[in-house]
Amino acid sequence: MSGRVCASVLQRASSYTLTLSSPTAPQTRPAHQSNYSSWGSSRSDKLCLTAKDPGNRPQSRRHLSTRRNLDFQLSRVQINSILRSNEQIVSVPEFDGRGLSAVRKFESNQLAANTPNEDRRSAATCLQSKGMLFGVFDGHGGWPCAQAVSERLLYYTAVAMMSKQRLEELETCMEDGRAVPPILQWYKHHADFNYHESASLYIDHLRVFWQELLDSEEHGEGMSPMDALDCSFKRLDADISLEAQVSLYNDLMKSTAIQVAFAGSTACVAHVCTDGIHVANAGDCRAVLGVLEEDGSWSALPLSQDHNTQNQAEVERIKTQHPTSERDTVVTDDRLLGVLMPLRAFGDVRFKWSLELQQSILASLQSGVDLDSLNLYQYTPPNYLTPPYLDVAPEITHHKLRPQDRFLILGTDGLWDELGNEEAVRLVGEHLSGIHLQAPVSPSERQMKLGWIHKLLLKRRARASPALDTNAATHLIRHALGTGEYGELSQERLATMLALPQDLARMYRDDITATVVYLNSDLARL
């Protein structure tokens, strides 16, 4: 039922145009493109670091070190100030007036490598339906698409889950010019940015979406979280594409929509309620569940799969969508058409539209507009023969909550570049419990020479070190960038990674966003 409703509203998404107020042009993005291949970019050899190829997933960088004649010294106070500047901790009431909450609290943080940061994050409680929504978004080709998706996607999901009765209340209020009942309770960090000038556009398109749901006789009590997530991803991407094509009042408004559409963003969104966790993922962000085992150890349960060339099933999925003559060109150099790392994403119309449509849209801008200032480059991906090559259809998983499920980690790929699933879960789990389990010394380890025993002791001591941060997301970021050879926190390494100049930082690390959602595991016992 809900699948047919979703297909219907998606089909109608391109059948309307809107009149809206003029937005201001967004800021210019940095020159570096995080998920595109770095054509012509140079690498610095001024640091004894293994430089990160901006277009490839980096190898392990546990053994990075600095030359002693370079002054990249930051004090502990400076390091903590940098790491904690975007921290967020939110406690959630156990009972919100509508029912029990599956979330006790969440902790989040971000650390930029790009200037400005191309990652975004969102968190909100659904006020007209059940549960909470959390999302992390990794922009590429600039930040505009990730920004727009972070502001809009949770609204689309929440609206899709609302019953027809509640949607009718929204529509009646809009028609009468009365205040509309709030759909989401947002949890914003004070530094979070919003496209205020685009608010009318976003509301208008969201309204068209719920009007189409109202027109469907099958919508009834609303979509399930799984159907709502699937529909909202696809519908928002269709709206982003449409907004770059319709006639708008002026070039400022047009440039905003075009920047969003030509940039791109991956997304990982979790809906958490007493019925369990639904995760929708498009791209290479990731969701991992932290599970407390009976013996007190921690294990990681992935709730998403990365959509990149490391996922052979994903590569094959894309190849089967194009003629056999293109099998050797659709994915080359571990990138889509040799250019794009993630294989699913919002925006990125360069990989979705026909060449004729792209040229027409860019030509529709006034001749006085500098495309470079809009971060739009006149290039065509190689072997662009049978578009579209990219879509945003999310892969959705469902997990029923159990007593041993303690927390959910959502992170952009900058986090997972540095930490494996098990390591991240162990760090958060031991941070939560304050207990650092050590494996017994094995028979082979008992035969070690003195030097190796010393290294083993250093590793064990590192694991028992007290946490420096109350925020688990900060704890993850600190360890992602500052872990040394034996698992210890290296002040020198952390200082070096945080003190890198803006033009070098993105060569050695990525923007990192992490959100840790603590689950009310007692609900699983009810």
Side-chain angles (χ1 to χ4, degrees):
M1 180 271 288
S2 296
R4 293 197 296 273
V5 176
C6 182
S8 172
V9 297
L10 286 171
Q11 187 175 13
R12 296 171 60 183
S14 59
S15 64
Y16 57 88
T17 57
L18 299 171
T19 305
L20 32 138
S21 59
S22 169
T24 353
Q27 304 173 34
T28 303
R29 70 156 176 86
H32 189 79
Q33 300 180 1
S34 62
N35 270 321
Y36 292 106
S37 60
S38 54
W39 298 342
S41 65
S42 61
R43 292 181 181 177
S44 169
D45 58 359
K46 295 182 180 179
L47 295 176
C48 289
L49 306 176
T50 303
K52 175 179 180 179
D53 179 345
N56 281 309
R57 190 167 302 281
Q59 301 299 315
S60 172
R61 298 194 294 280
R62 284 285 180 254
H63 302 291
L64 306 188
S65 61
T66 60
R67 285 181 179 169
R68 297 190 180 279
N69 61 342
L70 291 178
D71 184 17
F72 279 148
Q73 296 303 310
L74 294 175
S75 69
R76 291 184 182 275
V77 172
Q78 289 172 311
I79 289 174
N80 290 339
S81 177
I82 293 171
L83 287 176
R84 296 171 181 171
S85 61
N86 293 309
E87 282 187 332
Q88 185 181 27
I89 300 179
V90 175
S91 295
V92 179
E94 185 175 2
F95 183 79
D96 62 4
R98 296 173 302 144
L100 291 170
S101 173
V103 176
R104 294 193 298 109
K105 68 173 179 177
F106 69 90
E107 299 172 345
S108 184
N109 200 357
Q110 291 184 303
L111 181 69
N114 291 290
T115 307
N117 189 355
E118 295 183 352
D119 279 3
R120 294 293 186 271
R121 58 184 170 177
S122 297
T125 295
C126 299
L127 297 177
Q128 306 294 330
S129 56
K130 296 191 300 182
M132 294 184 69
L133 290 164
F134 301 90
V136 292
F137 312 93
D138 188 351
H140 47 265
W143 55 267
C145 189
Q147 177 63 43
V149 174
S150 71
E151 291 184 45
R152 306 176 67 181
L153 182 58
L154 271 56
Y155 274 119
Y156 279 63
T157 304
V159 162
M161 290 189 294
M162 289 172 59
S163 67
K164 179 171 285 191
Q165 179 183 349
R166 292 185 181 274
L167 292 177
E168 287 172 346
E169 293 173 7
L170 293 184
E171 181 61 20
T172 300
C173 289
M174 292 289 285
E175 290 176 349
D176 296 344
R178 293 185 284 115
V180 175
I183 298 171
L184 293 171
Q185 177 184 336
W186 286 91
Y187 304 99
K188 297 280 190 179
H189 186 268
H190 63 82
D192 286 350
F193 172 75
N194 282 302
Y195 274 140
H196 294 294
E197 296 82 0
S198 299
S200 61
L201 168 66
Y202 297 168
I203 293 171
D204 285 345
H205 273 198
L206 184 66
R207 184 182 181 187
V208 172
F209 178 43
W210 80 54
Q211 286 174 337
E212 293 176 7
L213 294 175
L214 283 171
D215 288 342
S216 169
E217 295 180 357
E218 300 177 344
H219 188 66
E221 292 303 310
M223 295 184 190
S224 68
M226 181 172 289
D227 289 333
L229 287 164
D230 182 69
C231 188
S232 60
F233 270 62
K234 295 172 182 175
R235 178 54 183 257
L236 176 56
D237 196 53
D239 282 354
I240 287 172
S241 176
L242 176 66
E243 289 157 10
Q245 299 175 52
V246 297
S247 297
L248 303 177
Y249 282 140
N250 55 49
D251 280 342
L252 288 177
M253 184 183 302
K254 186 77 171 177
S255 67
T256 301
I258 287 179
Q259 280 184 297
V260 169
F262 275 80
S265 178
T266 63
C268 187
V269 174
H271 176 263
V272 185
C273 71
T274 54
D275 296 332
I277 302 172
H278 286 85
V279 172
N281 185 54
D284 50 11
C285 296
R286 194 180 302 171
V288 179
L289 190 67
V291 180
L292 180 61
E293 302 294 350
E294 289 185 1
D295 64 359
S297 64
W298 293 94
S299 64
L301 178 63
L303 295 186
S304 67
Q305 295 188 68
D306 297 349
H307 299 132
N308 54 30
T309 56
Q310 304 305 308
N311 182 340
Q312 290 305 310
E314 182 70 4
V315 172
E316 190 61 28
R317 180 188 73 88
I318 291 176
K319 287 184 176 182
T320 58
Q321 295 176 351
H322 300 275
T324 54
S325 58
E326 294 186 59
R327 284 191 66 84
D328 294 333
T329 59
V330 172
V331 176
T332 59
D333 297 328
D334 289 329
R335 302 179 183 90
L336 184 65
L337 297 177
V339 179
L340 187 65
M341 277 189 62
L343 302 181
R344 303 191 198 192
F346 282 93
D348 281 321
V349 294
R350 201 67 93 169
F351 301 86
K352 298 174 180 177
W353 289 354
S354 69
L355 290 177
E356 294 75 17
L357 178 57
Q358 293 182 41
Q359 292 162 0
S360 171
I361 294 301
L362 294 178
S364 69
L365 291 169
Q366 291 293 333
S367 57
V369 175
D370 179 11
L371 291 182
D372 284 344
S373 70
L374 297 181
N375 313 303
L376 303 177
Y377 304 104
Q378 300 277 19
Y379 74 87
T380 300
N383 302 297
Y384 198 75
L385 305 174
T386 55
Y389 288 89
L390 184 71
D391 64 53
V392 77
E395 191 169 11
I396 303 175
T397 60
H398 173 250
H399 177 80
K400 184 175 176 60
L401 284 178
R402 305 166 301 175
Q404 63 267 38
D405 301 329
R406 296 307 172 90
F407 54 84
L408 177 69
I409 304 174
L410 295 175
T412 56
D413 69 335
L415 177 70
W416 307 112
D417 285 347
E418 311 291 347
L419 296 175
N421 293 354
E422 295 289 344
E423 187 178 6
V425 164
R426 179 186 63 80
L427 284 167
V428 174
E430 293 181 352
H431 183 271
L432 174 64
S433 65
I435 299 173
H436 304 270
L437 292 178
Q438 302 284 8
V441 177
S442 66
S444 61
E445 288 173 332
R446 294 193 186 103
Q447 305 303 317
M448 287 180 177
K449 293 182 179 179
L450 186 59
W452 287 104
I453 291 176
H454 178 65
K455 290 182 179 181
L456 175 64
L457 291 175
L458 288 175
K459 289 182 180 180
R460 294 168 72 88
R461 182 185 301 170
R463 287 197 53 175
S465 299
L468 300 176
D469 304 289
T470 57
N471 186 311
T474 308
H475 185 65
L476 282 174
I477 295 173
R478 185 186 294 273
H479 279 263
L481 298 182
T483 300
E485 182 177 0
Y486 304 116
E488 82 284 5
L489 273 173
S490 167
Q491 184 82 0
E492 181 185 15
R493 185 182 191 279
L494 189 57
T496 299
M497 296 299 283
L498 294 179
L500 287 168
Q502 290 181 359
D503 57 341
L504 290 182
R506 184 56 185 87
M507 299 180 70
Y508 297 96
R509 59 182 176 88
D510 198 356
D511 300 328
I512 300 176
T513 297
T515 297
V516 180
V517 181
Y518 294 96
L519 304 170
N520 188 353
S521 56
D522 291 337
L523 286 177
R525 299 186 176 91
L526 298 179

